[in-house]
Amino acid sequence: MPSKRQRMHNRRHNVTNVIETNTDRYHVSFGIDPGTLDIGEVFIRGSKIGSDMDILLDDATVVLSLALQYGVPLDQLIHSLHSGREEGGESILARSIALMQKERE
C-alpha cells in the first residue's frame, strides 16, 4: 500500500535556480514546505511556452512533485534516471533532482 501523500501548504517558500545546458537555460523552482522544510514541488521553465518541450516539462514536474509528496527518496529517483543510460542523468529533470539534493545539504 502506498504511503500517504504529504500535501503542500497553500502558502510556501520558493527557491529558484538556473540550469544551463549547451543550448538552453532553464529556471527550476522548488516549493518548500514551511513546516518540514522539505521540497515538495518542482517547476521547470525555459522552453518556448506552448511547445512540446514546455508541455513535457509541465507533465514531468507534476509527476516528480507527486513522487516527492509520496515520499520517494531523491536517491531512488536519481538512480532510476541513471540506470542503463549511457549519458547518465544529464536530462534537465535529472539535473533538477541533483540540484534538490544540493539544496538539502
Side-chain angles (χ1 to χ4, degrees):
M1 180 171 190
S3 63
K4 186 175 179 186
R5 179 178 173 197
Q6 299 298 314
R7 293 183 182 270
M8 298 287 292
H9 291 277
N10 289 336
R11 293 193 169 265
R12 55 197 163 270
H13 297 284
N14 184 320
V15 174
T16 300
N17 294 277
V18 174
I19 295 178
E20 292 191 34
T21 66
N22 290 333
T23 57
D24 294 303
R25 171 185 284 189
Y26 297 92
H27 291 83
V28 181
S29 300
F30 305 131
I32 301 172
D33 187 302
T36 64
L37 300 180
D38 288 334
I39 296 172
E41 63 185 358
V42 181
F43 303 95
I44 302 175
R45 291 284 173 252
S47 298
K48 182 178 179 184
I49 294 174
S51 69
D52 289 343
M53 180 60 129
D54 182 54
I55 294 166
L56 179 64
L57 286 173
D58 276 349
D59 287 352
T61 56
V62 167
V63 172
L64 177 55
S65 296
L66 283 170
L68 294 171
Q69 291 170 22
Y70 275 101
V72 177
L74 294 177
D75 289 343
Q76 180 62 53
L77 293 168
I78 286 288
H79 173 77
S80 295
L81 290 173
H82 280 252
S83 242
R85 297 175 78 181
E86 188 174 308
E87 71 281 4
E90 289 300 315
S91 71
I92 187 64
L93 197 61
R95 291 178 66 184
S96 297
I97 295 168
L99 189 57
M100 276 187 269
Q101 286 181 311
K102 286 184 182 178
E103 288 284 333
R104 294 176 104 186
E105 294 175 351

